[in-house]
Amino acid sequence: MSAILRGAAAAERVLARADELAALSRTSGGIDRRYLTPEHRAANALTAGWLADAGLVAWQDAAGNQCGRVPGAPVDAPVVLLGSHLDSVPNAGRYDGILGVLVALEVAERLRDDATTLPFALEIVGFADEEGTRFGATLLGSRAVAGTWDPAWAELRDENGVTLREAARGFGLDPDRVGEASRAGELVAYLEAHIEQGPRLERADRALGVVTRIAAAERRLLTLRGETRHGATPWDMRHDALLGFAEADLAIERIVRDAGAYATVGHVAVQPDAVNVIPGLAEFSLDLRDATEEGRDAAWELVHAELVGLADARGLRLDVASTHRADACIADPRLRNAIATGIAATGDAEPMELFSVAGHDAMAIAAAAPVAMLFVRCAGGISHAPEESVRADDVALAIDALEAAVRDLARGAASAS
Ligand code: HGY
Ligand code: MN
Ligand code: MN
């Protein structure tokens, strides 16, 4: 079979498998697959079958990540890990995370017969929880693998009050042994292919790109407290928390956009949420990102000062809680070159470099190993929505590029030894 036909067949298999995984959702319409749920279990089982079909040894680790290893390397060989995540946001697209796992699987199958000659062991991972949809804390699967699991996370609760501890037990895991998923000290490289989740590759008419860094991010939960009052209350006596939120949301957009950073207010809730009662409480999330920690924090300082002022003017109390904070993750130069070499091997002589505004498991793994990412064009830059899509020819190029990147790493490691 020619290389082009082989690539096209592999891409079609990736897209078909993404469709199979898309059916594993807690909702009939749309994709919703969360940590330690029956859908997570089914996705792991399906992926484990594909890993075995590709000739890999498959297992589920203590955190519920689905893992695979190409047999043939010495048991104590350093590990090059490829992968991404199998979980999703609510009403997700079918390629966010999934594409990276399936592309890695194709690369592992291509390299299987070379396993005994590679200077490292090649492993694949489908991380169990990158999005944090169920318990609110993100990168749980990859942080377990990186050895940065916090036992306190066992007490996190989902929307139904179920603790991660209880969910882990129900999933067949021992919540007090999740930390045993750590691979710290064994990993020498982590490469992740992922859709860009933005329009820059498409605007530049490029299929693939090299990620230079992953944005610094912080998530907060903010609460404005005013006074719950009857709708008959005169205007000059009102302290309306929802109006305070409305003013805050527009201020956040103006300030962060002017700062060249990114902010999303994706959650808002009011109390008592009744048509004839002035809301005394408004709770909302703020996801703030920028290329650097300094930019992220400077944007927050401007936002916070504005929110304090508007809360004061309306007689509201503002409370702020940080729920997730990650510094920018810089791609390892050697691995970044391998990704660029991989892209060049597909015929793109000057690989496009871009920074990732979206967060990824690579941020967590960077605590235990050098990391780099390969971005794949996605239509309209759309993600976290059912319209998310990729082109089969771009998927074929991604498989070729990631394979070439791993082979480049092997050459480099062999010549260095
Ligand atoms: O939020 C993010 O950037 C990622 O999709 N979890
Ligand atoms: Mn995502
Ligand atoms: Mn993702």
Side-chain angles (χ1 to χ4, degrees), residues 35-46:
Y35 188 36
L36 302 175
T37 61
E39 301 76 46
H40 170 192
R41 186 194 311 281
N44 277 10
L46 193 55

Side-chain angles (χ1 to χ4, degrees), residues 85 89 96 130-131 197 384:
H85 59 95
V89 294
D96 174 4
E130 186 272 343
E131 302 288 3
Q197 299 178 302
H384 283 191

Side-chain angles (χ1 to χ4, degrees), residues 171-201:
F171 196 77
L173 299 175
D174 178 340
D176 296 319
R177 299 180 64 180
V178 171
E180 291 177 16
S182 174
R183 305 296 302 278
E186 300 175 52
L187 305 178
V188 290
Y190 173 69
L191 300 182
E192 180 171 359
H194 201 289
I195 54 172
E196 179 198 338
Q197 299 178 302
R200 288 164 291 172
L201 285 175

Side-chain angles (χ1 to χ4, degrees), residues 43-98:
N44 277 10
L46 193 55
T47 306
W50 294 332
L51 288 165
D53 293 346
L56 279 71
V57 174
W59 72 96
Q60 179 180 279
D61 72 9
N65 299 306
Q66 182 57 51
C67 308
R69 181 180 174 106
V70 176
V75 65
D76 60 350
V79 174
V80 169
L81 183 63
L82 311 179
S84 190
H85 59 95
L86 289 171
D87 67 308
S88 81
V89 294
N91 200 32
R94 63 189 60 207
Y95 302 108
D96 174 4
I98 306 306

Side-chain angles (χ1 to χ4, degrees), residues 108-124:
E109 184 161 354
R110 289 186 182 180
L111 289 166
R112 181 189 57 208
D113 299 338
D114 301 332
T116 53
T117 59
L118 292 175
F120 43 70
L122 188 62
E123 292 193 13
I124 306 300

Side-chain angles (χ1 to χ4, degrees), residues 323-399:
T323 57
H324 171 71
R325 180 178 170 91
D327 286 352
C329 171
I330 314 301
D332 174 80
R334 168 74 193 95
L335 301 190
R336 199 171 125 182
N337 286 339
I339 296 284
T341 301
I343 295 174
T346 67
D348 180 351
E350 291 184 24
M352 180 171 164
E353 296 187 341
L354 61 172
F355 98 87
S356 174
V357 184
H360 300 284
D361 287 302
M363 300 166 83
I365 297 297
V371 302
M373 291 189 72
L374 169 69
F375 263 359
V376 184
R377 169 170 48 191
C378 56
I382 297 169
S383 184
H384 283 191
E387 299 78 13
E388 194 176 90
S389 73
V390 292
R391 290 169 31 175
D393 55 340
D394 289 353
V395 174
L397 290 174
I399 299 166

